[in-house]
Amino acid sequence: MTCVTVRTAFNPSQALTLAASLLLSSPATLAVTGHYVPGVEGVKGSSVPPAGTYYRGYGVHYDIDQLNDDNGDALPGSNTGTVSALANRFIHITDKQFLNADYGFETIIPVQHTSLDFDLLGIDSSETEVGDIFIGPVVLGWHGQQWDAVFASGIWFDTGSTSEPSSAGKGYKSAMITLGGNYYIDAAKSWSFSALSRYEINFDDDNGVNRGDSFLVEWGLGKRLSNGVELGLIGYDGWQLEENTGGDALPGKVEKHALGLEVGYFWPNQGFGVTGAYLNEYRVDNATEGDLFRIGLTKIF
C-alpha cells in the first residue's frame, strides 16, 4: 500500500516527535500495546478443548504499510516493514475441575523475525529472536448444551532481547486476563459466534515508562459446511486504555481495528487441524497499520 500524505499543516518536527512516541509507546510488532497478538484466534476462539495435551502453532506474517498518527493518518515518508512470527503454544487440560470448569495450564514461546525500514526515523533494522515467554497457570473452560466459556490468566515475562528497534522483546512484563464465550446458533452446531477478550496490565519498562493497560476483543462468526470445512468472518478491536506515564513517555493512545476471513479443517482421526486467515487493519491510531496473514496448526497428543 502506498502511504497517504498527511495534512499539509502537519509540522515535520511534530511528525518526528510523534513517530518516536509511537515506537516508545508501541514497538513495531503485532500487539496493540501489550504482548498479545490480536487476530491469532478467530472462529470458536473461546472454546477450551477436552482433557488432553495440545500443541497449537500460530504462524503470523504482518506487512506494515505505514505509521499512523493520533488521527489515523499516515506519517510522511516510507515507513514500512514486516513481522513474521511462530508462536508455539502448549496446552494441557487436566481431568480435574474447579468451579465446575475443566482446569488446565499453558505456555507460549514465540520466535519472531522483524524487519523495519522507517524513513522518518532513519531506522533500517532486522532481527530474528525468541520473544517474551508467556506462562499461564490457570485455564478454565465451561461447556453447555450450545455454549462454551473460558477464563484464563498468566504472565508475559521480559525474556526477549530489546537491544535493537526490531528486537522481539518488549522490555517489560504484562499480566494477561482472558475472558470469552462461544455460542452455537443452531442445534447442529454448524453456526457459531465467539468473542474472546484479553486485558493486559503492563508494568514499567526498561526506561522507567509505565505503559497503559490494553483491552482487545477478537471475534468470529463461523459456518461449518457438510464436508467439514469451516468458513468464518473474523475481526479484532483493541484499545490502549491509559496514556503512558513516567520516564520519556509522550502523549497518545494506541487503537486498532481489523476485519478478515478464515477457513479451517480438522481431521479427527489424525487429531490434526489447520486454519488460514487474512485480516486488514482498516483503522489504526498511534501505531503501525498493515495486513495480517495467519496459519494455525493444532495437534492433539
Side-chain angles (χ1 to χ4, degrees), residues 48-224:
V48 174
T53 300
Y54 302 81
Y55 168 79
R56 298 203 72 183
Y58 305 91
V60 177
H61 179 80
Y62 180 58
D63 284 324
I64 301 171
D65 297 327
Q66 60 195 48
L67 271 172
N68 286 1
D69 64 16
D70 193 53
N71 297 310
D73 297 322
L75 292 170
S78 176
N79 302 295
T80 61
T82 61
V83 182
S84 298
L86 175 61
N88 301 285
R89 183 183 181 193
F90 302 91
I91 311 164
H92 181 70
I93 305 299
T94 71
D95 57 2
K96 309 298 182 182
Q97 287 204 328
F98 179 70
L99 299 177
N100 294 321
D102 297 334
Y103 167 73
F105 47 88
E106 63 180 334
T107 187
I108 301 173
I109 305 173
V111 180
Q112 181 173 309
H113 172 78
T114 303
S115 179
L116 304 178
D117 187 7
F118 291 167
D119 288 350
L120 191 60
L121 294 176
I123 290 177
D124 185 3
S125 177
S126 180
E127 295 288 334
T128 301
E129 297 171 328
V130 176
D132 294 339
I133 294 174
F134 176 78
I135 302 294
V138 177
V139 178
L140 300 176
W142 293 267
H143 306 282
Q145 187 66 31
Q146 285 187 233
W147 59 269
D148 302 301
V150 61
F151 171 86
S153 62
I155 298 289
W156 290 96
F157 291 90
D158 54 344
T159 53
S161 169
T162 58
S163 59
E164 297 291 337
S166 56
S167 290
K170 292 282 194 172
Y172 58 92
K173 300 179 180 67
S174 298
M176 186 170 74
I177 300 171
T178 297
L179 184 65
N182 182 72
Y183 178 69
Y184 296 98
I185 300 171
D186 60 332
K189 297 186 177 182
S190 65
W191 283 95
S192 65
F193 179 77
S194 65
L196 185 67
S197 67
R198 312 276 194 180
Y199 187 94
E200 287 191 79
I201 303 168
N202 303 311
F203 302 104
D204 291 2
D205 70 8
D206 295 339
N207 298 314
V209 175
N210 183 16
R211 297 177 178 273
D213 296 346
S214 65
F215 176 77
L216 65 88
V217 177
E218 299 173 88
W219 57 268
L221 175 64
K223 169 62 177 177
R224 189 185 71 250

Side-chain angles (χ1 to χ4, degrees), residues 29-51:
T29 59
L30 307 174
V32 175
T33 181
H35 285 80
Y36 181 75
V37 177
V40 297
E41 302 286 0
V43 175
K44 297 180 183 176
S46 298
S47 295
V48 174

Side-chain angles (χ1 to χ4, degrees), residues 10-21 75-76 119-122 250:
F10 198 86
N11 187 294
S13 63
Q14 291 176 325
L16 186 61
T17 301
L18 179 55
S21 173
L75 292 170
D119 288 350
L120 191 60
L121 294 176
L250 295 171

Side-chain angles (χ1 to χ4, degrees), residues 53-55 265-274 297-301:
T53 300
Y54 302 81
Y55 168 79
Y265 189 82
F266 187 78
W267 291 266
N269 293 338
Q270 285 75 37
F272 178 78
V274 62
L297 303 175
T298 300
K299 175 59 180 175
I300 305 174
F301 293 98

